[in-house]
Amino acid sequence: MDHFKQIATFVNVAQRGSLSAAARHEGIAPAMVSRRLDALEARLGVKLLQRTTRRLSLTPEGSAFVEDCQKILCDLQDAESAVAARGAEANGQLRITAPAGFGRKYVAPIVADFLRSQPRVSVTLELSDRIVDLLAEGIDCAVRFGEQADSSLVRVPLGASRRVVVAAPLYLERHGTPRQPKDLAKHRCLVLGDASGQGAQRGWSFSVDGAVQALRVEGPLACNDGAVLHEWSLAGLGLTWRSLWEVGDDLAGGRLVTVLDEYAAPPTRVYCVFPARKHLPLRLRSFVDYLKAVFAAAPLASVLSESRPAAKSRG
């Protein structure tokens, strides 16, 4: 029991960002919170938190540990709630947000299937590429890519998404195949951006000599909608950097091929995130469980795998 209390307090501190806030949430003295953290670190033999008079931050070991601990606590809460519910039916309004393209292709169908099994639940799905403030906007959960700076959110891993550089065979026949990332300077790159010139373009990521590097690319065509870049690449207008889940069918059908596979950056994790709370509504818990089950099964699991793309570069 002491071990469990230590872990629960550690997660609470990581989510709330301070010993005093964690103590208020648990209804105990800050000194008790500190003693539990000290005991946990002593038992594990690693430093989990860097604590000063002004700030508190997770160590690399603490960041890795807190994710596992959150999952354990969520699983325990799910088990307790399932027993307590004793067949209770989920009901009420559920607000979900997801990235536009991924949400349209994957999350929306999952929501529709979920509602067939939960007729008393209603869902509002917001598809947007902006990072939504879940608490401020009253959103129950979000599907997000990449690591999150907000430690107050519980993260449930769903899978991983890899990005690849793709082009139509016709483009490569006309313009040749880049062999190294620096060769992209000689090619027509289809860029994600907007009319202001700022946009969402932060560079295409590659793994070079064991380090991930972001390479700024240029080209005659830019758009703030990734689906348009996808269509332009199918039309043979240039190279673009897209997620494997988006272009997988075209790679399998030979309409697109990948290049620079040996320089592919590590995949980005995909999570379902939601604000930490003592008791999750049954409708939210049911949806998160359903989401996890779907992403754990084929064919989505195969699309969001960490394996290298199956399609090979032409050349």
PDB file of all heavy atoms in Angstrom, residues 144-169:
ATOM      1  N   ARG A 144      -3.652  13.173 -30.191  1.00  0.00           N
ATOM      2  CA  ARG A 144      -2.539  14.067 -30.507  1.00  0.00           C
ATOM      3  C   ARG A 144      -1.301  13.284 -30.905  1.00  0.00           C
ATOM      4  O   ARG A 144      -1.113  12.140 -30.485  1.00  0.00           O
ATOM      5  CB  ARG A 144      -2.210  14.962 -29.302  1.00  0.00           C
ATOM      6  CG  ARG A 144      -3.250  16.037 -29.066  1.00  0.00           C
ATOM      7  CD  ARG A 144      -2.860  16.960 -27.942  1.00  0.00           C
ATOM      8  NE  ARG A 144      -3.848  18.033 -27.782  1.00  0.00           N
ATOM      9  CZ  ARG A 144      -3.860  18.871 -26.769  1.00  0.00           C
ATOM     10  NH1 ARG A 144      -2.939  18.783 -25.823  1.00  0.00           N
ATOM     11  NH2 ARG A 144      -4.786  19.816 -26.687  1.00  0.00           N
ATOM     12  N   PHE A 145      -0.460  13.950 -31.688  1.00  0.00           N
ATOM     13  CA  PHE A 145       0.799  13.377 -32.137  1.00  0.00           C
ATOM     14  C   PHE A 145       1.946  14.018 -31.366  1.00  0.00           C
ATOM     15  O   PHE A 145       1.967  15.225 -31.155  1.00  0.00           O
ATOM     16  CB  PHE A 145       1.005  13.643 -33.634  1.00  0.00           C
ATOM     17  CG  PHE A 145       0.125  12.819 -34.531  1.00  0.00           C
ATOM     18  CD1 PHE A 145      -1.241  13.059 -34.616  1.00  0.00           C
ATOM     19  CD2 PHE A 145       0.667  11.802 -35.301  1.00  0.00           C
ATOM     20  CE1 PHE A 145      -2.055  12.304 -35.439  1.00  0.00           C
ATOM     21  CE2 PHE A 145      -0.134  11.034 -36.131  1.00  0.00           C
ATOM     22  CZ  PHE A 145      -1.500  11.289 -36.203  1.00  0.00           C
ATOM     23  N   GLY A 146       2.908  13.212 -30.948  1.00  0.00           N
ATOM     24  CA  GLY A 146       4.104  13.739 -30.322  1.00  0.00           C
ATOM     25  C   GLY A 146       3.971  13.912 -28.824  1.00  0.00           C
ATOM     26  O   GLY A 146       2.887  13.823 -28.244  1.00  0.00           O
ATOM     27  N   GLU A 147       5.118  14.180 -28.209  1.00  0.00           N
ATOM     28  CA  GLU A 147       5.157  14.362 -26.760  1.00  0.00           C
ATOM     29  C   GLU A 147       4.528  15.700 -26.401  1.00  0.00           C
ATOM     30  O   GLU A 147       4.627  16.672 -27.154  1.00  0.00           O
ATOM     31  CB  GLU A 147       6.605  14.308 -26.251  1.00  0.00           C
ATOM     32  CG  GLU A 147       7.344  13.041 -26.656  1.00  0.00           C
ATOM     33  CD  GLU A 147       6.604  11.781 -26.248  1.00  0.00           C
ATOM     34  OE1 GLU A 147       6.075  11.746 -25.137  1.00  0.00           O
ATOM     35  OE2 GLU A 147       6.571  10.829 -27.049  1.00  0.00           O
ATOM     36  N   GLN A 148       3.891  15.757 -25.242  1.00  0.00           N
ATOM     37  CA  GLN A 148       3.175  16.953 -24.806  1.00  0.00           C
ATOM     38  C   GLN A 148       3.891  17.582 -23.619  1.00  0.00           C
ATOM     39  O   GLN A 148       4.345  16.891 -22.710  1.00  0.00           O
ATOM     40  CB  GLN A 148       1.737  16.601 -24.402  1.00  0.00           C
ATOM     41  CG  GLN A 148       0.978  15.835 -25.468  1.00  0.00           C
ATOM     42  CD  GLN A 148       0.753  16.646 -26.732  1.00  0.00           C
ATOM     43  OE1 GLN A 148       0.460  17.823 -26.667  1.00  0.00           O
ATOM     44  NE2 GLN A 148       0.905  16.002 -27.873  1.00  0.00           N
ATOM     45  N   ALA A 149       3.976  18.911 -23.644  1.00  0.00           N
ATOM     46  CA  ALA A 149       4.618  19.625 -22.542  1.00  0.00           C
ATOM     47  C   ALA A 149       3.712  19.710 -21.318  1.00  0.00           C
ATOM     48  O   ALA A 149       4.189  19.905 -20.202  1.00  0.00           O
ATOM     49  CB  ALA A 149       5.013  21.036 -23.005  1.00  0.00           C
ATOM     50  N   ASP A 150       2.413  19.581 -21.520  1.00  0.00           N
ATOM     51  CA  ASP A 150       1.449  19.737 -20.434  1.00  0.00           C
ATOM     52  C   ASP A 150       1.363  18.448 -19.608  1.00  0.00           C
ATOM     53  O   ASP A 150       0.733  17.484 -20.011  1.00  0.00           O
ATOM     54  CB  ASP A 150       0.075  20.092 -21.007  1.00  0.00           C
ATOM     55  CG  ASP A 150      -0.926  20.495 -19.924  1.00  0.00           C
ATOM     56  OD1 ASP A 150      -0.609  20.286 -18.734  1.00  0.00           O
ATOM     57  OD2 ASP A 150      -1.999  21.006 -20.271  1.00  0.00           O
ATOM     58  N   SER A 151       2.020  18.466 -18.436  1.00  0.00           N
ATOM     59  CA  SER A 151       2.038  17.263 -17.609  1.00  0.00           C
ATOM     60  C   SER A 151       0.741  17.047 -16.847  1.00  0.00           C
ATOM     61  O   SER A 151       0.585  16.038 -16.156  1.00  0.00           O
ATOM     62  CB  SER A 151       3.201  17.331 -16.610  1.00  0.00           C
ATOM     63  OG  SER A 151       3.064  18.449 -15.752  1.00  0.00           O
ATOM     64  N   SER A 152      -0.215  17.989 -16.952  1.00  0.00           N
ATOM     65  CA  SER A 152      -1.501  17.808 -16.270  1.00  0.00           C
ATOM     66  C   SER A 152      -2.430  16.887 -17.045  1.00  0.00           C
ATOM     67  O   SER A 152      -3.497  16.530 -16.557  1.00  0.00           O
ATOM     68  CB  SER A 152      -2.183  19.168 -16.070  1.00  0.00           C
ATOM     69  OG  SER A 152      -2.605  19.720 -17.310  1.00  0.00           O
ATOM     70  N   LEU A 153      -2.020  16.501 -18.252  1.00  0.00           N
ATOM     71  CA  LEU A 153      -2.843  15.626 -19.080  1.00  0.00           C
ATOM     72  C   LEU A 153      -2.391  14.177 -18.944  1.00  0.00           C
ATOM     73  O   LEU A 153      -1.200  13.876 -18.952  1.00  0.00           O
ATOM     74  CB  LEU A 153      -2.765  16.047 -20.548  1.00  0.00           C
ATOM     75  CG  LEU A 153      -3.269  17.448 -20.888  1.00  0.00           C
ATOM     76  CD1 LEU A 153      -3.073  17.734 -22.370  1.00  0.00           C
ATOM     77  CD2 LEU A 153      -4.728  17.618 -20.496  1.00  0.00           C
ATOM     78  N   VAL A 154      -3.350  13.300 -18.831  1.00  0.00           N
ATOM     79  CA  VAL A 154      -3.076  11.862 -18.845  1.00  0.00           C
ATOM     80  C   VAL A 154      -2.912  11.424 -20.297  1.00  0.00           C
ATOM     81  O   VAL A 154      -3.717  11.794 -21.159  1.00  0.00           O
ATOM     82  CB  VAL A 154      -4.225  11.077 -18.185  1.00  0.00           C
ATOM     83  CG1 VAL A 154      -3.969   9.575 -18.259  1.00  0.00           C
ATOM     84  CG2 VAL A 154      -4.400  11.512 -16.732  1.00  0.00           C
ATOM     85  N   ARG A 155      -1.867  10.660 -20.585  1.00  0.00           N
ATOM     86  CA  ARG A 155      -1.599  10.212 -21.953  1.00  0.00           C
ATOM     87  C   ARG A 155      -1.781   8.710 -22.056  1.00  0.00           C
ATOM     88  O   ARG A 155      -1.169   7.959 -21.314  1.00  0.00           O
ATOM     89  CB  ARG A 155      -0.179  10.587 -22.373  1.00  0.00           C
ATOM     90  CG  ARG A 155       0.116  12.072 -22.381  1.00  0.00           C
ATOM     91  CD  ARG A 155       1.508  12.346 -22.884  1.00  0.00           C
ATOM     92  NE  ARG A 155       2.516  11.651 -22.079  1.00  0.00           N
ATOM     93  CZ  ARG A 155       3.808  11.600 -22.398  1.00  0.00           C
ATOM     94  NH1 ARG A 155       4.239  12.141 -23.516  1.00  0.00           N
ATOM     95  NH2 ARG A 155       4.665  10.977 -21.607  1.00  0.00           N
ATOM     96  N   VAL A 156      -2.609   8.298 -22.988  1.00  0.00           N
ATOM     97  CA  VAL A 156      -2.819   6.875 -23.256  1.00  0.00           C
ATOM     98  C   VAL A 156      -2.242   6.585 -24.640  1.00  0.00           C
ATOM     99  O   VAL A 156      -2.740   7.092 -25.652  1.00  0.00           O
ATOM    100  CB  VAL A 156      -4.317   6.513 -23.228  1.00  0.00           C
ATOM    101  CG1 VAL A 156      -4.518   5.052 -23.602  1.00  0.00           C
ATOM    102  CG2 VAL A 156      -4.910   6.806 -21.856  1.00  0.00           C
ATOM    103  N   PRO A 157      -1.149   5.827 -24.744  1.00  0.00           N
ATOM    104  CA  PRO A 157      -0.531   5.570 -26.050  1.00  0.00           C
ATOM    105  C   PRO A 157      -1.429   4.735 -26.958  1.00  0.00           C
ATOM    106  O   PRO A 157      -2.037   3.761 -26.529  1.00  0.00           O
ATOM    107  CB  PRO A 157       0.759   4.831 -25.696  1.00  0.00           C
ATOM    108  CG  PRO A 157       0.530   4.274 -24.332  1.00  0.00           C
ATOM    109  CD  PRO A 157      -0.423   5.182 -23.634  1.00  0.00           C
ATOM    110  N   LEU A 158      -1.507   5.148 -28.218  1.00  0.00           N
ATOM    111  CA  LEU A 158      -2.311   4.438 -29.216  1.00  0.00           C
ATOM    112  C   LEU A 158      -1.450   3.746 -30.261  1.00  0.00           C
ATOM    113  O   LEU A 158      -1.848   2.739 -30.834  1.00  0.00           O
ATOM    114  CB  LEU A 158      -3.268   5.408 -29.915  1.00  0.00           C
ATOM    115  CG  LEU A 158      -4.284   6.130 -29.041  1.00  0.00           C
ATOM    116  CD1 LEU A 158      -5.078   7.128 -29.881  1.00  0.00           C
ATOM    117  CD2 LEU A 158      -5.222   5.147 -28.348  1.00  0.00           C
ATOM    118  N   GLY A 159      -0.284   4.314 -30.554  1.00  0.00           N
ATOM    119  CA  GLY A 159       0.569   3.747 -31.589  1.00  0.00           C
ATOM    120  C   GLY A 159       1.632   4.747 -31.974  1.00  0.00           C
ATOM    121  O   GLY A 159       2.017   5.602 -31.169  1.00  0.00           O
ATOM    122  N   ALA A 160       2.133   4.643 -33.180  1.00  0.00           N
ATOM    123  CA  ALA A 160       3.168   5.555 -33.666  1.00  0.00           C
ATOM    124  C   ALA A 160       2.970   5.809 -35.143  1.00  0.00           C
ATOM    125  O   ALA A 160       2.468   4.957 -35.874  1.00  0.00           O
ATOM    126  CB  ALA A 160       4.556   4.972 -33.412  1.00  0.00           C
ATOM    127  N   SER A 161       3.343   6.999 -35.576  1.00  0.00           N
ATOM    128  CA  SER A 161       3.150   7.404 -36.969  1.00  0.00           C
ATOM    129  C   SER A 161       4.485   7.825 -37.568  1.00  0.00           C
ATOM    130  O   SER A 161       5.201   8.641 -36.990  1.00  0.00           O
ATOM    131  CB  SER A 161       2.161   8.577 -37.029  1.00  0.00           C
ATOM    132  OG  SER A 161       2.073   9.100 -38.337  1.00  0.00           O
ATOM    133  N   ARG A 162       4.820   7.258 -38.703  1.00  0.00           N
ATOM    134  CA  ARG A 162       6.066   7.612 -39.386  1.00  0.00           C
ATOM    135  C   ARG A 162       5.765   8.490 -40.601  1.00  0.00           C
ATOM    136  O   ARG A 162       4.781   8.282 -41.304  1.00  0.00           O
ATOM    137  CB  ARG A 162       6.806   6.352 -39.843  1.00  0.00           C
ATOM    138  CG  ARG A 162       8.153   6.650 -40.474  1.00  0.00           C
ATOM    139  CD  ARG A 162       8.839   5.365 -40.934  1.00  0.00           C
ATOM    140  NE  ARG A 162       9.139   4.485 -39.832  1.00  0.00           N
ATOM    141  CZ  ARG A 162      10.195   4.624 -39.015  1.00  0.00           C
ATOM    142  NH1 ARG A 162      11.011   5.648 -39.171  1.00  0.00           N
ATOM    143  NH2 ARG A 162      10.408   3.756 -38.057  1.00  0.00           N
ATOM    144  N   ARG A 163       6.644   9.470 -40.832  1.00  0.00           N
ATOM    145  CA  ARG A 163       6.534  10.306 -42.029  1.00  0.00           C
ATOM    146  C   ARG A 163       7.552   9.849 -43.071  1.00  0.00           C
ATOM    147  O   ARG A 163       8.658   9.433 -42.713  1.00  0.00           O
ATOM    148  CB  ARG A 163       6.775  11.783 -41.703  1.00  0.00           C
ATOM    149  CG  ARG A 163       5.546  12.482 -41.130  1.00  0.00           C
ATOM    150  CD  ARG A 163       5.828  13.944 -40.871  1.00  0.00           C
ATOM    151  NE  ARG A 163       4.624  14.656 -40.501  1.00  0.00           N
ATOM    152  CZ  ARG A 163       3.859  15.360 -41.336  1.00  0.00           C
ATOM    153  NH1 ARG A 163       4.186  15.428 -42.619  1.00  0.00           N
ATOM    154  NH2 ARG A 163       2.784  15.984 -40.924  1.00  0.00           N
ATOM    155  N   VAL A 164       7.159   9.934 -44.337  1.00  0.00           N
ATOM    156  CA  VAL A 164       8.019   9.517 -45.443  1.00  0.00           C
ATOM    157  C   VAL A 164       7.969  10.566 -46.553  1.00  0.00           C
ATOM    158  O   VAL A 164       6.983  11.284 -46.703  1.00  0.00           O
ATOM    159  CB  VAL A 164       7.578   8.151 -46.011  1.00  0.00           C
ATOM    160  CG1 VAL A 164       7.868   7.032 -45.021  1.00  0.00           C
ATOM    161  CG2 VAL A 164       6.102   8.165 -46.369  1.00  0.00           C
ATOM    162  N   VAL A 165       9.058  10.641 -47.309  1.00  0.00           N
ATOM    163  CA  VAL A 165       9.083  11.493 -48.497  1.00  0.00           C
ATOM    164  C   VAL A 165       8.591  10.661 -49.672  1.00  0.00           C
ATOM    165  O   VAL A 165       9.112   9.574 -49.929  1.00  0.00           O
ATOM    166  CB  VAL A 165      10.500  12.032 -48.776  1.00  0.00           C
ATOM    167  CG1 VAL A 165      10.487  12.943 -50.005  1.00  0.00           C
ATOM    168  CG2 VAL A 165      11.029  12.796 -47.564  1.00  0.00           C
ATOM    169  N   VAL A 166       7.589  11.184 -50.366  1.00  0.00           N
ATOM    170  CA  VAL A 166       6.969  10.417 -51.451  1.00  0.00           C
ATOM    171  C   VAL A 166       6.889  11.249 -52.726  1.00  0.00           C
ATOM    172  O   VAL A 166       6.930  12.486 -52.693  1.00  0.00           O
ATOM    173  CB  VAL A 166       5.545   9.944 -51.068  1.00  0.00           C
ATOM    174  CG1 VAL A 166       5.596   8.998 -49.883  1.00  0.00           C
ATOM    175  CG2 VAL A 166       4.628  11.130 -50.766  1.00  0.00           C
ATOM    176  N   ALA A 167       6.775  10.544 -53.825  1.00  0.00           N
ATOM    177  CA  ALA A 167       6.574  11.175 -55.128  1.00  0.00           C
ATOM    178  C   ALA A 167       5.910  10.176 -56.050  1.00  0.00           C
ATOM    179  O   ALA A 167       5.970   8.959 -55.827  1.00  0.00           O
ATOM    180  CB  ALA A 167       7.904  11.642 -55.727  1.00  0.00           C
ATOM    181  N   ALA A 168       5.280  10.679 -57.084  1.00  0.00           N
ATOM    182  CA  ALA A 168       4.709   9.800 -58.108  1.00  0.00           C
ATOM    183  C   ALA A 168       5.834   9.251 -58.977  1.00  0.00           C
ATOM    184  O   ALA A 168       6.840   9.930 -59.203  1.00  0.00           O
ATOM    185  CB  ALA A 168       3.713  10.576 -58.964  1.00  0.00           C
ATOM    186  N   PRO A 169       5.703   8.015 -59.471  1.00  0.00           N
ATOM    187  CA  PRO A 169       6.729   7.464 -60.365  1.00  0.00           C
ATOM    188  C   PRO A 169       7.034   8.391 -61.544  1.00  0.00           C
ATOM    189  O   PRO A 169       8.195   8.501 -61.956  1.00  0.00           O
ATOM    190  CB  PRO A 169       6.114   6.137 -60.828  1.00  0.00           C
ATOM    191  CG  PRO A 169       5.195   5.749 -59.708  1.00  0.00           C
ATOM    192  CD  PRO A 169       4.629   7.032 -59.191  1.00  0.00           C
TER     193      PRO A 169
END
